[in-house]
Amino acid sequence: MPLLKVDNLHIAYGAVKALHGVSLAVEAGEILTLIGCNGAGKTTTLRGISGMVRPRQGTVEFDGQSIVGVPPHQLVRRGLVHVPEGRGIFANLTVEENLDLGAFTRTDTAGIAADRERALTLFPRVKERLRQLAGTLSGGEQQMLAIARALLARPKLLLLDEPSLGLAPQLVQTIFAIIREINSQGVTILLVEQNANMALHVAHRAVVLETGAVRMAGPAAELAASDEVRKAYLGHG
Ligand code: ATP
């Protein structure tokens, strides 16, 4: 049984139909990447999964249970945590306060402290800036803080929306290495990326979205080698 199963998802914003019957499954332990052009529906798929928008049609099952209509904060409690595009950092709170908010669903003080230490080990830049206001961090540092904060909810499944967006090339490498490390610590990841090259490199499997529908799906290495993907998404002729 997959950890997440999305079946025939239809989502519209008013008259704009963003998804027309998207189906995908994420197996426990894997990194699945969702790639596609601007406007293909990647962000909308994540929003439909995490309860930020309500599907018109379709089912979403997490850990064997239907989660359509379950509010996002309850999903966090169950282990499904979404790091949205734009990151959702509270600029007027300190880095430390932002981080602490990630553990809002938990009361196990010792466990929280251990997870906090583990997250800060992954993100030493965040650790150096704990007392700073989060709004003073660079874009890359805010991204790291957003992921570190998500880890404090102890996710089973992490939905990451464009973690590499707007980062300096060196930081892009770092973020992907960290994503792999988080996965190797046992967190299943659904990764939305514009950077298809890096995403296919880090992921086990991939789904290609085109105008709100699944165009291709398969092992990431196979898609990375396919002529169609190379031409359309990897910039190879
Ligand atoms: P991007 O990489 O640009 O975020 P995406 O693949 O994530 O692209 P979505 O953001 O999911 O795509 O958008 C899918 C479609 O839904 C697009 O046609 C977009 O214009 C439309 N859309 C997205 N958000 C809204 C909204 N809040 N109101 C109206 N239309 C929207």
Side-chain angles (χ1 to χ4, degrees):
M1 185 181 70
L3 182 59
L4 179 81
K5 193 163 180 296
V6 173
D7 216 20
N8 192 31
L9 204 63
H10 288 254
I11 293 179
Y13 300 99
V16 180
K17 290 197 173 120
L19 300 187
H20 321 262
V22 166
S23 299
L24 58 87
V26 186
E27 302 293 334
E30 77 173 346
I31 301 177
L32 179 81
T33 187
L34 199 54
I35 59 174
C37 299
N38 262 332
K42 304 181 299 295
T43 295
T44 301
T45 303
L46 293 192
R47 286 180 166 166
I49 293 167
S50 70
M52 288 164 70
V53 292
R54 196 168 178 127
R56 296 263 166 110
Q57 202 184 317
T59 58
V60 183
E61 280 177 20
F62 175 64
D63 232 358
Q65 287 183 313
S66 168
I67 56 168
V68 173
V70 177
H73 69 273
Q74 279 185 26
L75 293 178
V76 171
R77 229 175 271 273
R78 294 197 202 172
L80 194 162
V81 182
H82 185 173
V83 182
E85 209 176 1
R87 294 142 199 185
I89 290 300
F90 296 100
N92 294 324
L93 298 184
T94 65
V95 169
E96 191 161 36
E97 286 163 343
N98 269 277
L99 207 53
D100 289 344
L101 285 173
F104 78 97
T105 56
R106 302 174 59 185
T107 51
D108 57 323
T109 318
I112 294 170
D115 286 342
R116 191 175 187 279
E117 211 36 55
R118 193 173 311 135
L120 290 175
T121 305
L122 283 173
F123 296 105
R125 276 168 183 255
V126 174
K127 190 171 185 172
E128 285 163 18
R129 290 164 174 73
L130 285 175
R131 305 244 141 65
Q132 244 170 270
L133 288 183
T136 66
L137 299 182
S138 72
E141 289 161 358
Q142 290 193 18
Q143 181 61 268
M144 292 178 178
L145 172 57
I147 298 174
R149 183 175 66 183
L151 292 177
L152 284 189
R154 202 172 261 193
K156 287 183 192 158
L157 174 64
L158 197 55
L159 309 182
L160 293 177
D161 198 352
E162 304 266 9
S164 78
L165 192 72
L167 301 191
Q170 207 187 345
L171 224 46
V172 171
Q173 300 277 353
T174 307
I175 278 281
F176 280 102
I178 291 170
I179 289 169
R180 192 174 264 170
E181 175 61 26
I182 291 169
N183 175 249
S184 73
Q185 292 180 5
V187 181
T188 305
I189 294 175
L190 175 52
L191 170 68
V192 158
E193 261 299 334
Q194 291 266 348
N195 188 336
N197 254 313
M198 290 296 290
L200 290 174
H201 189 66
V202 81
H204 303 101
R205 290 190 310 122
V207 170
V208 180
L209 277 192
E210 208 174 273
T211 56
V214 174
R215 164 90 201 181
M216 299 167 86
E222 268 178 33
L223 290 192
S226 95
D227 280 346
E228 187 181 340
V229 171
R230 285 164 60 84
K231 278 190 195 136
Y233 302 103
L234 302 181
H236 301 292

